[in-house]
């Protein structure tokens, strides 16, 4: 166990992945909780509930990804807004993936909403890491 902790302290990539996964789980929790509150408490339809949960989870993800995962330190408002606009653009792409998967799994495969949401969120976490790591929070945004 001690060796694992030492390896974690030394390996920045591993730290980044673990931090991303932690905040990915937190973002997924925000997404799940708000989705099911919207569906069951407010009795909103699937599309509105999923959109609502997406907006709140994207706002949460931007703040955590920028500050704690990728430790982006933009030096100008231009670069900050560049990151922000890229982040929202790629989250819109992942929202399309999210909505498409939800509709396919629920309407096409007759999967329950919980399982459809769970499988979809796993796909989304992986896609969003790739987008953030290689297309959004890059060193050229400093």
């Amino acid at each position: 166990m001690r060796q694992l902790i030492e390896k974690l302290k030394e390996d920045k990539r591993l730290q980044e992945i673990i931090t991303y996964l932690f905040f990915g789980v937190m973002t997924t929790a925000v997404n799940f909780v708000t989705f099911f509150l919207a569906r069951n408490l407010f009795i909103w339809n699937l599309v509105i509930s999923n959109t609502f949960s997406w907006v709140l989870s994207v706002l949460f993800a931007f703040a955590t990804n920028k500050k704690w995962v990728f430790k982006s330190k933009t030096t100008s408002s231009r670069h900050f807004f560049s990151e922000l606009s890229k982040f929202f653009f790629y989250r819109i792409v992942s929202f399309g993936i999210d909505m498409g998967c939800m509709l396919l799994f629920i309407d096409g495969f007759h999967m329950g909403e919980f399982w459809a949401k769970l499988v979809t969120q796993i796909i989304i976490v992986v896609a969003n890491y790739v987008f953030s790591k290689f297309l959004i929070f890059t060193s050229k945004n400093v």
Side-chain angles (χ1 to χ4, degrees):
M1 183 64 137
R2 179 179 259 176
Q3 290 174 335
L4 179 64
I5 293 170
E6 289 302 317
K7 180 174 172 124
L8 178 60
K9 287 180 183 178
E10 295 170 5
D11 191 340
K12 298 295 183 195
R13 287 181 298 157
L14 186 57
Q15 288 176 9
E16 180 182 270
I17 290 170
I18 290 171
T19 305
Y20 181 81
L21 290 174
F22 173 78
F23 284 112
V25 168
M26 297 304 292
T27 299
T28 300
V30 168
N31 192 293
F32 260 76
V33 168
T34 56
F35 174 78
F36 286 104
L37 282 174
R39 287 290 282 158
N40 298 312
L41 185 64
F42 303 128
I43 319 297
W44 292 349
N45 74 33
L46 175 72
V47 173
I48 292 172
S49 298
N50 205 41
T51 303
F52 175 72
S53 67
W54 176 81
V55 168
L56 293 181
S57 62
V58 167
L59 291 171
F60 178 81
F62 178 75
T64 59
N65 277 231
K66 180 169 179 53
K67 183 169 182 150
W68 290 298
V69 177
F70 299 105
K71 297 178 175 76
S72 174
K73 294 177 175 61
T74 51
T75 56
S76 70
S77 58
R78 184 177 138 251
H79 289 123
F80 173 82
F81 285 109
S82 173
E83 282 181 346
L84 183 64
S85 63
K86 286 183 203 176
F87 193 84
F88 272 90
F89 172 78
Y90 285 108
R91 288 315 187 265
I92 289 169
V93 170
S94 69
F95 176 68
I97 296 167
D98 185 337
M99 189 61 71
C101 287
M102 287 294 287
L103 293 171
L104 175 68
F105 293 151
I106 292 169
D107 294 341
F109 298 145
H110 306 289
M111 190 182 283
E113 287 183 359
F114 176 84
W115 293 109
K117 194 69 173 164
L118 181 63
V119 171
T120 297
Q121 289 309 299
I122 292 168
I123 295 166
I124 295 306
V125 166
V126 172
N128 285 340
Y129 179 79
V130 171
F131 295 152
S132 294
K133 175 73 176 170
F134 300 107
L135 301 171
I136 300 168
F137 298 110
T138 61
S139 60
K140 61 185 171 188
N141 283 339
V142 178

